[in-house]
Amino acid sequence: MMTTNKIFQILFFGFLTVLVVSCKPGKDNPGTEYAPNMYHAVSYEPLTQITEKDAGAWVSSDEDEYGEYYNSNPNNPFGMTMREPAKNTVPRNENGMLPYRLPKDSVELAARTLKNPLPDTNEILEEGKVLYTKYCTHCHGENGGGSMDETAKVGKVYQGVPSYSAGATSQLSEGHIFHVITHGIRRMGAHGSQVQQEDRWKIVRYVQTLQKQD
């Protein structure tokens, strides 16, 4: 005959097993969510589409008629939260820049044809220096000396990082520098996804000052 303590242990571990299994996701089921308000934004999310108006009603903190998870936009066709752009249009940033489309193997074309759309001003240079310090110093050094620069902590380890002011590197065009920042070259990784297009051009402006060092 089982004791009360034994029955309690069986019930406890049975409850624990059910709890763990209920957390497991599968197909379209995300599993049990703890603190669900941390996962579901109040604003419209373009990459999700939840059309059930009562979805998440049990955790809703709003006074409207919709559940917490409902995120379809009633102002758009089919309640879509992301709209297709108008046909024959391309995105531009606030300064009118078009997306950079040249592929990685077009470095020579970029070197010949690309021109920096940003003015050569002290403000642009200062912003470029800040960005260079953040994204480039660890390999190229504060003074652009490459592997020979004491501040190039990563560049000193891997060696072979050229100085901006020496040899052929000092003659690289602004288009070449921008293309290499975007797509990378040899052991240098691509930074197109980490650094916005306009910021890459700011870095180019600053790198050109390092090329002119004695």
Side-chain angles (χ1 to χ4, degrees):
M1 187 173 182
M2 290 190 295
T3 63
T4 302
N5 188 43
K6 189 69 172 180
I7 294 174
F8 176 77
Q9 290 180 355
I10 293 173
L11 291 175
F12 174 76
F13 286 109
F15 172 77
L16 187 62
T17 301
V18 172
L19 184 64
V20 171
V21 171
S22 69
C23 297
K24 183 179 180 181
K27 295 185 178 180
D28 294 331
N29 176 23
T32 301
E33 293 179 330
Y34 297 94
N37 289 355
M38 299 286 289
Y39 299 96
H40 301 275
V42 176
S43 58
Y44 292 122
E45 296 189 40
L47 300 182
T48 63
Q49 188 71 35
I50 300 177
T51 57
E52 294 81 7
K53 293 184 178 182
D54 60 347
W58 62 284
V59 292
S60 182
S61 57
D62 301 323
E63 296 181 356
D64 58 26
E65 58 189 278
Y66 305 115
E68 188 78 9
Y69 306 161
Y70 172 72
N71 70 345
S72 296
N73 191 333
N75 300 308
N76 293 336
F78 310 107
M80 296 170 61
T81 51
M82 181 168 62
R83 302 291 301 277
E84 293 184 2
K87 291 183 178 180
N88 302 317
T89 60
V90 291
R92 295 175 183 263
N93 68 5
E94 60 184 7
N95 292 322
M97 285 187 185
L98 293 168
Y100 187 62
R101 300 298 190 191
L102 286 183
K104 183 176 182 179
D105 59 1
S106 299
V107 62
E108 292 183 3
L109 176 62
R112 292 196 311 269
T113 61
L114 292 184
K115 299 298 179 184
N116 198 327
L118 302 180
D120 187 5
T121 64
N122 289 333
E123 182 182 1
I124 294 296
L125 286 176
E126 285 301 315
E127 292 179 11
K129 181 178 181 179
V130 171
L131 292 164
Y132 175 88
T133 302
K134 179 178 181 180
Y135 293 106
C136 313
T137 300
H138 52 282
C139 286
H140 294 275
E142 292 179 6
N143 299 310
S147 296
M148 302 302 294
D149 195 313
E150 289 297 321
T151 60
K153 302 300 183 182
V154 177
K156 288 173 61 179
V157 173
Y158 286 95
Q159 296 297 315
V161 182
S163 169
Y164 285 130
S165 59
T169 307
S170 66
Q171 304 302 315
L172 294 177
S173 69
E174 55 192 351
H176 182 106
I177 298 170
F178 177 83
H179 189 84
V180 168
I181 294 174
T182 302
H183 292 294
I185 189 170
R186 293 185 285 276
R187 289 187 297 176
M188 175 179 167
H191 287 69
S193 60
Q194 291 96 335
V195 187
Q196 295 183 8
Q197 183 171 330
E198 186 170 335
D199 289 343
R200 279 175 265 154
W201 280 119
K202 292 177 182 178
I203 293 174
V204 171
R205 282 288 183 212
Y206 183 69
V207 168
Q208 288 184 299
T209 66
L210 299 179
Q211 287 179 302
K212 299 174 183 177
Q213 295 179 115
D214 296 330

